[in-house]
Amino acid sequence: MTPIKKCILKKDISYKPIWLMRQAGRYLPEFRKIRKKNKNFVKLCLNNKLVPEITLQPIKRFDFDAAIIFSDILMVPYGLGQKLNFTKGLGPQLGDFNDKSSLIIKKSNFINKLKPVYESIKKTSNNKILEKKDLIGFVGAPWTLLVYMINRISPKKNLKKNFFKDKNLNNNILSILKEYLKIHIKYQVRNGATVIQIFDSWAGLLSEKDLEKYVYQPTKEIVDFTKSLDVPVICFPRNIKNFKKFVEKVNPDVISIDYNIEPKKIVKDIHIPVQGGIDPRALLVDKQSLKNEVKKYKEVFKDHPYIFNLGHGVLPQTDPNMVEYLIKFVKDN
Ligand code: 1CP
């Protein structure tokens, strides 16, 4: 059994696996080299030669326990026919829904558009280097994808004022998302993804009263579907205020925490395996500070099934030597 599955399914606390969100990405010179020659990010995500290579770059370099397929949560809106561009400095930009008929999608069109993603997963999972490691597939949670599809740019500062105005449109997109996220998960699993992570990066934007409709209910549906495929599912509802309630409502196999939450509180409140939490900025300082931060998590989770990871993605300015040091410190002590 792979280390991640052992931790998740057997609740084995004797070994704490490690992987990092955005472990393949701009902090690696070998990624930047490929990226420089491939200016179109969507095309890069659809390149079934380069995606396996990028996915395995951090596995070749470091002693990680899992790979995560190099793709993006916004490939689902792309598969649904929404225009998608990544512009330097601006982040993602999505097309509008002037024409409501654009929301009528054929399943076969969606699968065809995302076929290269599934081919990449298959190729990657067949690589010997992953024999004893998991290959993590992922999706964005329905709420976070709804945010991008309606807002059409990152909601970094705020949601657009009229975000909740067109209730019909929101409900319509939400149900389309639920249906197609299941398809996207099914095809990732069928092609070799052994764990699924659901990223709800914008869960923290909602007030308590809206969580049931936009987060708990739709995410639970996706979680239950993934479990029905016999694949463990990790949820990352970033910046949500009440992780305990999220776990009670959604019941994932693992809860991934962000760096704003006190790990001591989590370990007291939550009885399922936990992942992450370490501040990505800890990798930007010096080795001693990083060691102190990791020690804190080691101590808090010593008697709890725990997967080492960050509280958000690796920052682009991170020195790869610090990642190396982090893994060594996690594994050596
Ligand atoms: O080179 C570049 O400029 C591209 C940067 C980049 C990368 C490396 C983007 C653009 N996406 C990715 C890959 C990616 N995205 C992965 C790969 C696997 C990994 O190594 O972890 C994953 C899991 C994602 C998921 C993703 N995309 C999320 C959820 C996690 C998070 O960061 O909160 C989100 C919100 C996106 C949208 C996205 N993709 C990229 C950007 C710049 C953004 C927007 C972020 C924002 O709105 O602030």
Side-chain angles (χ1 to χ4, degrees), residues 19-26 31 35 41 44-45 58 68-74 86 88 90-92 138 140 144 148 153-156 199-202 236 238 312-313:
W19 69 278
L20 303 182
M21 294 188 259
R22 294 276 165 104
Q23 65 188 25
R26 277 180 300 176
F31 172 76
R35 183 75 171 100
F41 185 72
L44 181 58
C45 290
I68 176 161
I69 194 70
F70 183 81
S71 184
D72 199 89
I73 61 166
L74 298 177
F86 286 88
K88 217 176 172 185
L90 262 175
F138 66 89
T144 283
Y148 282 107
I153 51 166
S154 172
K156 252 183 190 146
F199 287 93
D200 209 348
S201 305
W202 301 110
F236 179 43
R238 186 164 72 89
H312 202 186

Side-chain angles (χ1 to χ4, degrees), residues 253-269:
D253 293 297
V254 183
I255 184 79
S256 199
I257 57 173
D258 60 69
Y259 51 84
N260 292 314
I261 190 89
E262 181 50 56
K264 273 193 190 129
K265 182 172 163 43
I266 292 290
V267 86
K268 243 190 8 230
D269 284 355

